[in-house]
Amino acid sequence: MAVRSRSPQRPDDLVVEVTEADAGAVAAAVERARAAGGRWAAASALERSAALGDAADALAGAAGEVTDLMVREVGKPVTEAAAETGRGVGILRYYAQQALDPDGETYPGPGPAALLLARRRPRGVAGMITPWNFPVAIPLWKAAPALAFGNAVVLKPSPEATGVALRLAELLAPALPDDLLQVVPGGPETGQALVEAVDCVSFTGSVAVGRQVALAATGLGIPSQAEMGGLNAAIVLPDADPERAAGVVAAAAMGYAGQKCTATSRAVVVGDPGPFTEALVAAVRGLAVGDPAEPSTVVGPVITEPARRRVVEAATEAAAGGGRLLTGGQAGDGDGWFVAPTLVDGLAPDARLAQEEVFGPIAVVLAVADEDEAVAVANGVRYGLAGSVFTRDLDRALRLAARLDTGLIRVNAPTSGVDYLAPFGGEKDSSFGPREQGKAARDFYTSTRTITILPQEG
Ligand code: NAD
């Protein structure tokens, strides 16, 4: 079977075609990785740090090429794509330094000369299953800490981002020992085979698949973490500047055609929704839609034809169910999977569009009477990834932040946006297992070995 990846803005542009890794190929890749990982774990932390630094330099040196490939393969607007490549370099540099952090703790032993230590050690081969939407940042925010702490990595990228993954591995290869970082292209079966062969698995993608991966890993007795979907709410309080809040929400909802797990899908407006809604419609209509290779473009295509159909159908269903289409709702003309940024209001909070992730440029405006109702509506979904609050009132911001059941809470900031130096992850159906990124990543990619050392006498 072949894996084919096509450009979403020019579907006749075949970006890459490679053979899918079957179960045998995955097992062989993991075996090679295990051998390389053993030597890597035995290398000094200084060597691992230097190698990751070289990997960062290699990516930085090819930044323009990687950015262009990302634009071509997943349709990410070039300004965002360039920022993502830069973030990838930053992630590698950050974990190159973390390789030199203390690798454990000492505890009080039974006597003054005794040592009781808990030392970190790598898990072995870390399997990674990733989505297409951040084809550089997500593989790297998993692979960089895994490598820094002495693991080998086998990555199964999304078929739609195979070209970027293969190029990334190729670029990093000269900096790393042979076979330490490998890519196994393929779809669900390749992913399942990977879970069966590795020592831990880190997944990012949809809730349905993440659940299956976590369940399979648990059955095999290996640790897993899964970062999954979101349906992120931005709460706009009456004292917020409607135009400013609308500008931020428009970009967070529609940027990269809404294809971020942290995109805003629901604007929850407290009090009179009129001024904010009007400003939001104007801000969304003002976003530049078009060729993602243009630096001014904010909204490119969605990833595939079915993804575009899902957006149009969600808009049609919302309108048929009593919603008011404020803007958008239809597919774009011409080649490419373009769809107009779409806003709907007048729906109840339990309408499907206000409950289920579409993963495209579509959002709802929900009017609520007060802060309590805003919290109930914002929390009234199965997801819990990111939430934002717009207000000038610090007390209200703090109160709301304490009541939102999301993993990321952002005040006067877009729901989208991730800081690789801080823990990242969600609550409820959005997340399973320990947090990713920042110092938190070490917990997943290592286990501790507790060592007692006593003097022979005394
Ligand atoms: P997806 O779940 O369809 O696929 C994710 C990965 O899993 C792909 O590599 C896919 O090939 C693989 N896969 C599919 N079935 C599998 C199986 N049975 N066993 C093992 N692997 C399997 O997701 P997608 O369409 O690539 O990405 C979009 C989704 O990702 C959205 O729901 C989005 O919210 C989510 N996402 C979450 C985060 C986060 O950090 N929370 C970040 C980005 C994207």
Side-chain angles (χ1 to χ4, degrees), residues 14-103:
L14 182 63
V15 178
V16 73
E17 179 168 357
V18 287
T19 308
E20 181 170 48
D22 61 14
V26 171
V30 171
E31 272 324 296
R32 289 195 303 275
R34 187 161 280 120
R39 293 188 290 273
W40 178 247
S44 75
L46 283 167
E47 280 175 66
R48 292 201 300 270
S49 174
L52 285 173
D54 291 347
D57 292 344
L59 180 58
E65 176 215 328
V66 171
T67 297
D68 290 347
L69 182 58
M70 196 186 327
V71 173
R72 180 179 165 212
E73 188 169 39
V74 301
K76 180 165 293 201
V78 64
T79 308
E80 279 203 53
E84 182 177 340
T85 307
R87 175 146 60 116
V89 174
I91 289 167
L92 285 164
R93 295 222 162 101
Y94 173 75
Y95 285 106
Q97 291 310 301
Q98 240 191 76
L100 307 178
D101 276 1
D103 65 354

Side-chain angles (χ1 to χ4, degrees), residues 129-130 132 156 192 204-206 212 228-229 261 357 359 424:
I129 300 177
T130 52
W132 48 267
K156 195 216 77 65
Q192 283 161 3
T204 300
S206 61
Q212 285 177 41
M228 300 168 278
C261 53
E357 185 186 50
F359 216 58
F424 172 79

Side-chain angles (χ1 to χ4, degrees), residues 121-195:
R121 62 166 173 166
R123 294 197 184 274
V125 181
M128 286 158 198
I129 300 177
T130 52
W132 48 267
N133 63 337
F134 286 88
V136 167
I138 293 179
L140 285 180
W141 84 45
K142 296 179 188 297
L147 293 170
F149 303 126
N151 300 276
V153 168
V154 180
L155 165 69
K156 195 216 77 65
S158 165
E160 283 85 14
T162 302
V164 173
L166 289 172
R167 186 67 189 121
L168 202 56
E170 208 170 73
L171 279 168
L172 268 43
L176 300 170
D178 287 350
D179 295 330
L180 188 68
L181 169 66
Q182 294 179 62
V183 174
V184 286
E189 283 103 55
T190 309
Q192 283 161 3
L194 184 65
V195 175

Side-chain angles (χ1 to χ4, degrees), residues 374-394:
V375 171
V377 167
N379 287 344
V381 294
R382 67 190 182 113
Y383 305 94
L385 190 55
S388 64
V389 179
F390 290 86
T391 180
R392 291 190 173 96
D393 181 335
L394 184 60

